[in-house]
């Protein structure tokens, strides 16, 4: 229990004062007394210039003391402009949670502290989790509010270049090179480009689509985002409060266009990034772009940010006998609309989000659809079950506070939370799940029951947010087959081991994408791909591999993930690139 006569704010203030005193002194024992034996420290650039998590009091004290000696953290105090200290339950544990700010020799930061009483030490409040995160580099703050460059009230030369003239000229890059090239103009590319621009770094986005937002606009007709509007804001420009709970793809695409204009981002459409080589001596890239007219252009940025998603090249498995099929075969990345298949037979191979959504779209268009399941899949109703993990954003703190609190949770505790949330979702969705199993659908709930979020973070798929397709399967409106029951493919469709033929005019391969390392090998060479290793997922550490942080290849960075992930981590990725430009990171 957390009942005490002291206020939660006083308890947090006292702990922060003790932390500052311990870091300023030379005695590690005083520092160790502040942490539980099983505790966690997550540092996001503030002290270590890395994104890292340390577990256990002994390791925390060792690492914290080492990095504090260089960074010189001081001025720890509760941030009165943010959510007040309060009692919360995180990962099943009751704790006092407090947001604080501090400074280092090079920057200013924010943090989140969680305290619980130590029953073995007279119920003294000790740190269960601690986050220290960099907000800004001193002298190089984001150009916002009063820090933004002043505009002229008027121009004496009325026929001189106005704002629009200057914007068009800047976007053409005729007389300069961008400091940063961002490849991909989706939520990841827009987020990091906006951050870098506000940090004063000349940034160019390139995207192969013909129009800003086409990466959403050209998807299948019925698509809407599967999580709610309040977690999907882009940096600096939240969606209007009048927006629907689930954002339609075309509405989002139009917002992307408005965002590019409003944030004054340099963006080349219909531009393919073909390859790049790094010049070690010049510390810059030789990047080759192919423009809309087919001409090639070489540019020389110091940094390249790959913002093309957590997955790269479409994964098209070598399916024995598929070449016998006489109809149309499409990968899901090339599927646009079901209207052309009205009254036709379709097989959709793959039971993740894309497979289910395409099957439902084809069904709505009047096609006769069979969903073919290749492996067990997690099913969760889009509402309310899939929204359980976003409950924090409904608690009342500001978006900025929620993002910081989200950042503060170590992986092991996030996993514990998601195991509990997955069990809750299973109970909420029991009727649907039982119906699917009766139809022969094979269910899976992730390693140790950790659910869809960890499926996404480790493999980028393996789940479906039900927006109706699962109900159609239960009702028999969409047929179900197991891929293991297919003997081979013939001209008419799939020949089952029973001897039956599933007739098809269309086969959609909703078989996902290869990891980004395959794309790296294609664009930057196999040597770079080997040097980096896997991208996304978790290795031996407690952070995503090669994501949002420095990689083994100088000048090459990656950002991907949900809207919330891109909004949160674009801030920290931008700060690292800025620090490289300032010589703070080598």
């Amino acid at each position: 229990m957390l009942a005490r006569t002291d206020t939660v704010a006083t308890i947090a203030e006292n702990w922060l004062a003790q932390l500052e005193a311990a870091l300023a002194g030379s005695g590690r024992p005083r520092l160790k007394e502040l942490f539980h034996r099983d505790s966690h420290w997550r540092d996001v650039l503030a002290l270590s210039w890395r994104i890292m998590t340390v577990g256990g009091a002994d390791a925390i004290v060792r690492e914290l003391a080492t990095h504090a000696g260089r960074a010189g953290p001081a001025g720890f105090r509760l941030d009165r402009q943010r959510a007040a200290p309060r009692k919360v339950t995180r990962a099943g544990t009751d704790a006092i949670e407090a947001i604080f700010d501090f400074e280092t020799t090079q920057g200013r930061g924010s943090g989140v502290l969680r305290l619980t009483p130590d029953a073995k030490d007279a119920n003294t409040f000790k740190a269960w989790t601690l986050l220290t995160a960099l907000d800004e580099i001193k002298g190089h703050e984001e150009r916002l509010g009063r820090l933004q460059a002043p505009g002229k009230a008027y121009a004496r030369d009325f026929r001189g270049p106005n704002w629009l003239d200057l914007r068009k000229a800047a976007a053409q890059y005729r007389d300069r090179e961008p400091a940063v090239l961002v490849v991909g103009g989706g939520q990841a590319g827009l987020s990091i480009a906006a951050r870098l621009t506000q940090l004063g770094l000349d940034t160019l986005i390139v995207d192969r689509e013909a129009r800003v937002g086409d990466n959403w606009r050209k998807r299948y007709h019925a698509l809407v985002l599967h999580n709610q509007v309040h977690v999907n804001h882009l940096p600096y420009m939240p969606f209007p409060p009048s927006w629907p709970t689930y954002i339609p793809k075309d509405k989002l695409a139009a917002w992307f266009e408005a965002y590019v204009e409003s944030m004054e981002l340099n963006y080349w459409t219909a531009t393919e990034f073909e390859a790049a080589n790094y010049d070690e001596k010049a510390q810059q890239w030789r990047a080759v772009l192919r423009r809309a007219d087919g001409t090639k252009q070489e540019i020389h940025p110091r940094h390249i940010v790959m913002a093309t998603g957590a997955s790269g090249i479409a994964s098209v498995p070598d399916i024995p006998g598929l070449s016998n099929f006489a109809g149309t075969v499409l990968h899901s990345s090339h599927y646009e609309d079901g209207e052309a298949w009205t009254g036709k037979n379709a097989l959709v191979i793959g039971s993740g989000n894309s497979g289910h959504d395409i099957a439902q779209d084809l069904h709505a268009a009047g096609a006769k659809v069979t969903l073919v399941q290749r492996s067990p899949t997690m099913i969760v109703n889009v509402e309310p079950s899939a929204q359980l993990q976003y409950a924090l954003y409904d608690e009342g703190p500001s978006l900025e506070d929620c993002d910081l609190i989200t950042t503060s949770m170590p992986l092991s505790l996030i996993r514990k939370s998601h195991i509990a949330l997955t069990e809750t979702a299973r109970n909420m969705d029991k009727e649907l799940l039982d119906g699917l199993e009766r139809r022969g659908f094979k269910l899976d709930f992730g390693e140790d029951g950790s659910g869809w979020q960890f499926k996404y973070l480790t493999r980028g798929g393996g789940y479906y947010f039900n927006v109706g397709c699962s109900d159609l399967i239960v009702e028999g409106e969409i047929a179900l087959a197991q891929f293991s029951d297919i003997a081979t493919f013939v001209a008419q469709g799939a020949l089952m081991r029973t001897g039956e033929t599933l007739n098809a005019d269309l086969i959609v391969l909703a078989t996902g994408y290869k990891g980004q390392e395959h794309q790296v090998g294609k664009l930057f060479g196999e040597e770079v791909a080997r040097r980096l290793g896997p991208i996304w997922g978790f290795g031996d550490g407690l952070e995503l591999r090669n994501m949002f942080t420095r990689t083994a290849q100088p000048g090459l960075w990656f950002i991907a993930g949900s809207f919330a992930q891109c909004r949160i981590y674009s801030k920290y990725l931008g700060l690292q690139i800025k620090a490289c430009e300032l010589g703070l990171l080598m």
Side-chain angles (χ1 to χ4, degrees):
M1 299 296 291
L2 296 178
R4 289 282 294 262
T5 57
D6 298 331
T7 67
V8 291
T10 300
I11 294 169
E13 285 175 331
N14 289 339
W15 191 92
L16 290 170
Q18 293 177 68
L19 174 66
E20 183 159 356
L23 291 175
S26 58
R28 290 190 180 185
R30 289 183 62 193
L31 190 57
K32 187 174 181 179
E33 291 172 1
L34 297 176
F35 291 87
H36 284 284
R37 182 182 181 88
D38 182 17
S39 52
H40 312 266
W41 171 45
R42 190 165 194 234
D43 186 58
V44 183
L45 312 182
L47 275 64
S48 65
W49 277 117
R50 294 190 176 277
I51 300 177
M52 69 176 202
T53 302
V54 181
D58 290 337
I60 289 173
V61 169
R62 181 178 64 251
E63 294 293 327
L64 188 55
T66 298
H67 291 295
R70 178 199 60 79
F76 291 89
R77 61 186 183 277
L78 296 180
D79 190 336
R80 305 296 180 183
Q81 304 301 313
R82 307 189 74 158
R86 57 187 178 146
K87 297 177 182 178
V88 299
T89 301
R90 303 284 185 229
T93 297
D94 295 332
I96 291 172
E97 183 176 85
I99 297 178
F100 61 92
D101 56 24
F102 63 99
E103 294 188 14
T104 68
T105 56
Q106 295 174 328
R108 300 178 187 89
S110 299
V112 178
L113 167 67
R114 295 188 185 89
L115 298 168
T116 60
D118 186 349
K120 297 180 180 180
D121 189 9
N123 281 332
T124 301
F125 277 94
K126 297 183 179 181
W128 173 44
T129 72
L130 176 68
L131 168 74
T132 50
L134 184 67
D135 286 334
E136 57 188 15
I137 301 170
K138 290 179 179 177
H140 302 277
E141 295 81 3
E142 290 185 342
R143 300 186 301 188
L144 302 172
R146 293 183 180 276
L147 296 178
Q148 63 183 305
K152 294 181 180 179
Y154 64 91
R156 293 185 183 276
D157 181 3
F158 275 35
R159 301 310 304 164
N162 67 3
W163 171 86
L164 182 59
D165 298 327
L166 295 173
R167 278 287 302 131
K168 288 180 177 179
Q172 291 173 353
Y173 286 93
R174 288 179 176 169
D175 58 355
R176 74 192 197 285
E177 300 277 5
V180 185
L181 175 66
V182 175
V183 181
Q187 66 265 22
L190 297 185
S191 295
I192 185 58
R195 300 285 193 187
L196 291 167
T197 299
Q198 295 309 309
L199 287 167
L201 289 174
D202 195 344
T203 301
L204 170 65
I205 306 169
V206 296
D207 193 280
R208 63 188 177 189
E209 299 292 351
R211 182 179 169 192
V212 177
D214 271 356
N215 46 15
W216 285 96
R217 187 180 291 108
K218 293 172 66 174
R219 299 191 190 189
Y220 55 89
H221 185 71
L223 178 65
V224 298
L225 296 191
H226 288 153
N227 47 16
Q228 296 181 354
V229 62
H230 59 278
V231 298
N232 289 327
H233 301 290
L234 297 177
Y236 310 114
M237 280 181 61
F239 300 122
S242 61
W243 273 39
T245 302
Y246 296 97
I247 306 173
K249 68 178 182 71
D250 297 288
K251 193 174 186 70
L252 183 64
W255 183 261
F256 277 16
E257 284 188 309
Y259 189 84
V260 168
E261 290 303 315
S262 298
M263 296 303 301
E264 299 186 19
L265 305 181
N266 298 324
Y267 193 123
W268 287 0
T269 56
T271 301
E272 185 88 19
F273 174 71
E274 290 202 331
N277 294 299
Y278 190 69
D279 186 329
E280 297 281 353
K281 184 176 181 180
Q283 295 187 329
Q284 65 181 22
W285 292 93
R286 292 191 299 272
V288 178
L289 307 176
R290 180 163 51 84
R291 304 302 301 276
D293 60 2
T295 61
K296 293 188 178 183
Q297 182 173 346
E298 185 175 294
I299 63 172
H300 306 92
R302 294 187 293 278
H303 305 271
I304 294 178
V305 180
M306 296 299 294
T308 53
S311 305
I313 300 167
S315 177
V316 181
D318 183 11
I319 299 176
L322 186 59
S323 60
N324 298 328
F325 177 57
T328 300
V329 179
L330 294 175
H331 186 267
S332 57
S333 58
H334 294 124
Y335 177 86
E336 293 186 8
D337 192 79
E339 294 300 323
W341 303 101
T342 301
K344 302 292 182 65
N345 295 310
L347 301 181
V348 179
I349 300 177
S351 54
N353 270 319
S354 294
H356 277 87
D357 284 348
I358 290 170
Q360 188 172 355
D361 188 65
L362 285 164
H363 174 269
K368 183 179 179 181
V369 186
T370 300
L371 183 72
V372 180
Q373 187 176 26
R374 295 202 303 161
S375 58
T377 309
M378 180 175 179
I379 304 297
V380 56
N381 276 323
V382 71
E383 192 175 64
S385 308
Q387 309 306 319
L388 292 175
Q389 76 152 7
Y390 302 115
L392 167 66
Y393 288 81
D394 291 322
E395 288 182 8
S398 67
L399 179 68
E400 183 181 26
D401 289 350
C402 288
D403 284 350
L404 188 67
I405 292 168
T406 298
T407 304
S408 73
M409 292 298 289
L411 176 67
S412 59
L413 298 184
I414 295 174
R415 186 181 182 87
K416 182 179 178 181
S417 294
H418 281 279
I419 289 172
L421 291 173
T422 300
E423 185 61 27
T424 300
R426 289 181 69 173
N427 291 330
M428 295 171 71
D429 298 341
K430 187 176 187 306
E431 182 179 353
L432 174 69
L433 300 178
D434 288 348
L436 285 169
E437 287 190 312
R438 285 194 297 270
R439 285 286 179 182
F441 195 94
K442 296 179 180 179
L443 295 170
D444 171 60
F445 299 94
E447 184 180 358
D448 299 326
S450 54
W452 68 265
Q453 181 72 5
F454 275 81
K455 280 178 168 283
Y456 175 62
L457 292 174
T458 53
R459 52 177 287 198
Y463 57 88
Y464 166 57
F465 295 144
N466 178 39
V467 293
C469 189
S470 292
D471 302 276
L472 293 171
I473 292 171
V474 171
E475 295 161 5
E477 293 291 318
I478 290 178
L480 176 70
Q482 293 296 324
F483 186 79
S484 58
D485 291 335
I486 296 176
T488 189
F489 288 85
V490 294
Q492 296 82 9
L495 177 64
M496 308 303 288
R497 298 188 187 280
T498 60
E500 175 192 5
T501 298
L502 294 180
N503 291 325
D505 302 288
L506 168 70
I507 294 178
V508 179
L509 301 177
T511 49
Y513 297 83
K514 297 178 181 179
Q516 270 210 48
E517 54 270 23
H518 295 276
Q519 190 176 43
V520 170
K522 177 183 177 182
L523 297 173
F524 299 94
E526 292 301 329
E527 181 182 344
V528 173
R530 285 191 296 270
R531 189 182 310 148
L532 267 58
I535 301 165
W536 199 253
F538 301 100
D540 296 332
L542 298 173
E543 304 290 346
L544 286 169
R545 294 175 295 196
N546 287 308
M547 191 60 55
F548 318 127
T549 190
R550 278 178 285 174
T551 69
Q553 171 58 56
L556 182 58
W557 313 79
F558 296 86
I559 182 171
S562 66
F563 280 72
Q565 279 178 300
C566 293
R567 180 182 65 247
I568 292 170
Y569 285 99
S570 61
K571 173 181 180 178
Y572 304 121
L573 178 53
L575 286 169
Q576 288 173 88
I577 295 174
K578 182 68 175 183
C580 282
E581 291 291 283
L582 295 172
L584 301 177
L585 288 182
M586 303 302 292

